[in-house]
Amino acid sequence: MGGWWDMAAEELEQQYSPSRWSPRLGPDEVIQAHLAAAAAGTQRARAGAQTSLHVPYGDGDGEKLDMYLPTDPSGTFPVLVYIHGGYWQCLSKDESGFAAPSLVSQGVGLVAVGYDIAPKGAVLVSGVYDLEPILHTYVNDALHMSREVAQRNSPLLHIAPAAPAAAACKVLVAMAQHDSPEFRRQSREYVLALRAAGWSVSMLDLAGVDHFDIVEKLSEDSYILTQVILNMTLSA
């Protein structure tokens, strides 16, 4: 029996699109129904349970959680930690408290965890995007990769067409002047492949650095790559 790598792209997309497998409604309708039900259920839970909402657990704007407590939380009680789905692109903790009423009535607390969702952008620095050449080098003496494994884990070979939800996800591919010609070739080819698939991608060829200090210099405030990363993250 084959694995996912034997599937055609259309079949693989079908397998990883849960909305296409619901017998209740069509793909678009079942998503909208789920969003509505989850949001309405969460509002009911907030109105009827003892809560502590929007509690920060990190520095990010989305790094907050909601706590739904049993009626008598004076002692210890079990807690269900709920981390919402949505393929890291949609939903939030504000649609994640719907299970609270049935739990808190039995003395079980619910913590709905929020987190920063994608797109958040990607910075790829002096990377290897096609692993197959490594099979023929000393690097593979320790890795023992087969050709199948190399192909399965090569980003260059698994570029999905950019969906509308990914339009705001900006990708930066950075390479060093003194990277090897093969590293530089791979960076250029990955950029071209991403662009061909509709991704928003740019390339940064950094002069005067090698494969190592291209990242070491991120400790410097004035370093161009540091500034680019700050611009990407702060404007997201």
Side-chain angles (χ1 to χ4, degrees):
M1 182 176 179
W4 65 265
W5 51 88
D6 293 322
M7 297 181 188
E10 183 176 350
E11 182 184 0
L12 193 62
E13 185 166 323
Q14 175 88 1
Q15 291 286 335
Y16 284 91
S17 298
S19 61
R20 300 186 185 186
W21 293 86
S22 172
R24 297 184 293 123
L25 297 165
D28 292 336
E29 290 83 1
V30 76
I31 290 175
Q32 293 305 315
H34 174 66
L35 292 174
T42 299
Q43 290 305 311
R44 287 194 296 271
R46 289 180 174 181
Q50 181 175 340
T51 62
S52 184
L53 304 177
H54 318 305
V55 179
Y57 67 87
D59 296 328
D61 290 339
E63 293 179 332
K64 296 181 175 64
L65 50 83
D66 293 341
M67 295 187 288
Y68 299 81
L69 306 175
T71 305
D72 181 16
S74 56
T76 59
F77 54 87
V79 171
L80 172 70
V81 176
Y82 184 87
I83 301 174
H84 70 81
Y87 267 147
W88 308 282
Q89 298 174 51
C90 63
L91 295 175
S92 72
K93 68 178 182 59
D94 296 326
E95 297 89 28
S96 300
F98 51 86
S102 60
L103 295 174
V104 299
S105 64
Q106 301 299 315
V108 177
L110 172 70
V111 174
V113 181
Y115 53 90
D116 291 325
I117 59 175
K120 300 308 282 169
V123 179
L124 313 176
V125 182
S126 291
V128 177
Y129 309 106
D130 179 3
L131 302 184
E132 191 163 351
I134 289 178
L135 298 180
H136 311 287
T137 72
Y138 75 93
V139 176
N140 203 40
D141 292 345
L143 298 178
H144 305 294
M145 280 193 301
S146 66
R147 186 168 183 265
E148 179 184 85
V149 169
Q151 291 179 341
R152 190 171 73 232
N153 292 280
S154 293
L156 183 63
L157 304 181
H158 302 285
I159 298 176
C169 182
K170 300 184 183 303
V171 179
L172 171 67
V173 177
M175 62 182 180
Q177 178 185 356
H178 302 297
D179 267 324
S180 73
E182 268 294 283
F183 270 79
R184 290 173 60 81
R185 177 190 66 79
Q186 287 219 16
S187 290
R188 289 192 296 267
E189 289 190 1
Y190 194 47
V191 166
L192 293 176
L194 287 170
R195 283 178 180 161
W199 289 86
S200 175
V201 58
S202 57
M203 186 169 70
L204 186 61
D205 190 351
L206 291 168
V209 291
D210 58 32
H211 188 76
F212 305 97
D213 61 351
I214 189 174
V215 289
E216 291 170 11
K217 291 169 72 68
L218 286 171
S219 63
E220 302 174 7
D221 295 341
S222 60
Y223 181 42
I224 183 172
L225 189 54
T226 305
Q227 292 298 315
V228 169
I229 291 172
L230 286 171
N231 288 336
M232 286 180 65
T233 55
L234 294 175
S235 62

